């Protein structure tokens, strides 16, 4: 079966084709992405109305592109999948509307997919896919969660952020240092040049004894340091900016690392899956690799280019859900979107 996946929950339009196989996990046939980052950068963050309008412009050309590069005709598509939530309501409606229109015109089933389940299952598209069960560290722009994953659709949340997500901590810290939007990757580049011990920053909830996170206080501490440094933060003859970036990254990474290792210990699981945009962070990967190898734990990541939002993870989650019998692909084209949608509640979903 061939699955067409459409992602439009935030500032990236992603479209992809995934094919199920008789043996092994579904495989990626082609994917295409248009990032709106340049457009939103001028505003210092995502402008929802502009995001929706741009998704409308991009989604059909990207669909044509993936069909052409996989040498697949539209009528060979068996199921059309789209991101149903969580995300920006207007942006989600674009993907949902287009997916249902394509499905109705082909008389093929349409499936609404949870964006975070897409991230969670994206490592199954890599050359070294995980096996169930595992502990998952889901670190995206809007979510930070540790989960116990027994199978497709079986997600128990062990802990999550009580305020900002890890990606938000990167982005907000970067913004107040004048590093643009989204600041995570830029902050991380500066961090490589700095000293992670230069500034003492808090490690929120590190010793809380549970698996919850809190990053709002860290952002405030970064702001206080930046204000203390004043214009000197940007003085090219000092290393202040690189040092503050390195110290911020070190604080975020240490909390994610220690909580993940504690979750592995508490569950007795021997496998960790990292997913979501922050999973692209080099320092996080290096430190997780080192700690997991010492603890005899296998750690899996999505391919670097599939860490942030993309259509491949949506097509993949749809294919894996159908294969696992978690979701019936129905010929029904009435759609809704769920801008807020907890991941723990999607054992089986009816459209
Ligand atoms: O998963 P994602 O694409 O979006 C959501 O579903 O929210 O994640 C985007 C987040 C942003 O906060 C971005 O700054 C962060 O991932 N990010 C990074 C890196 N690459 C992306 N944060 C730190 N280091 C990176 N290399
Ligand atoms: Zn995402």
């Amino acid at each position: 079966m061939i699955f067409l996946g459409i992602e439009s929950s935030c500032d990236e339009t992603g479209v992809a084709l995934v094919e199920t196989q008789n043996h092994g996990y579904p495989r990626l046939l082609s994917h295409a992405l248009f990032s709106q980052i340049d457009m939103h950068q001028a505003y210092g963050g995502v402008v929802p109305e502009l995001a929706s309008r741009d998704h409308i412009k991009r989604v059909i050309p990207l669909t044509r592109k993936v069909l052409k590069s996989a040498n697949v005709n539209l009528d060979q598509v068996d199921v059309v999948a789209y991101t149903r939530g969580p995300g920006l309501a207007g942006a989600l409606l674009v993907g949902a509307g287009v997916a249902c229109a394509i499905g109705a015109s082909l008389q093929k089933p349409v499936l609404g997919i949870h964006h975070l389940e897409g991230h969670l299952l994206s490592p199954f598209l890599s050359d070294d896919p995980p096996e169930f069960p595992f502990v998952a560290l889901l670190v995206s722009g809007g979510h930070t969660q540790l989960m116990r994953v027994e199978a497709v659709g079986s997600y128990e949340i062990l802990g999550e952020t009580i305020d900002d997500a890890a990606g938000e901590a990167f982005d907000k810290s970067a913004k107040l240092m004048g590093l643009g939007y989204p600041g995570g990757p830029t902050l991380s580049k500066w961090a490589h040049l700095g000293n992670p011990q230069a500034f003492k920053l808090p490690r929120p909830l590190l010793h809380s004894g549970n698996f919850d996170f809190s990053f709002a206080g860290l952002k405030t501490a970064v702001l206080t340091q930046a204000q203390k440094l004043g214009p000197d933060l940007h003085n090219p003859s000092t290393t202040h900016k690189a040092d503050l970036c390195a110290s911020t990254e070190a604080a975020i990474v240490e909390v994610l690392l220690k909580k993940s290792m504690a979750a592995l210990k508490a569950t007795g699981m021997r496998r960790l899956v990292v997913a979501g945009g922050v999973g692209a962070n080099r320092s996080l990967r290096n430190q997780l690799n080192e700690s997991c190898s010492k603890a005899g734990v296998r750690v899996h990541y999505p391919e670097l280019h599939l860490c942030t939002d993309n259509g491949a993870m949506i097509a993949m989650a749809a294919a894996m859900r159908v294969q696992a019998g978690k979701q019936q692909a129905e010929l029904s084209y009435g759609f809704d979107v769920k801008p807020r949608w907890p991941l723990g509640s999607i054992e089986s979903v009816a459209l």
Side-chain angles (χ1 to χ4, degrees), residues 7 9-10 12 115-116 119 140-142 276-277 307-310 313:
E7 154 64 31
S9 66
C10 189
E12 254 121 17
H115 179 83
L116 295 181
H119 277 303
S140 70
C307 278
T308 43
D309 294 348
N310 62 82
M313 67 187 200

Side-chain angles (χ1 to χ4, degrees), residues 119-163:
H119 277 303
L120 191 63
L121 299 178
S122 62
F124 286 91
L125 285 163
S126 75
D127 292 338
D128 178 28
E131 277 168 32
F132 295 103
F134 51 79
V135 168
L137 171 68
L138 190 61
V139 270
S140 70
H143 294 82
T144 298
Q145 296 176 329
L146 270 165
M147 266 173 289
R148 180 195 188 107
V149 177
E150 295 288 345
V152 175
S154 171
Y155 313 126
E156 182 199 340
I157 296 183
L158 300 170
E160 61 190 327
T161 184
I162 57 170
D163 43 51

Side-chain angles (χ1 to χ4, degrees), residues 187-194 242 246 249 282-283 286:
L187 188 149
S188 172
K189 276 189 199 130
W190 277 93
H192 287 301
L193 310 168
E249 182 178 75
R282 193 37 59 203
S283 169
N286 288 344

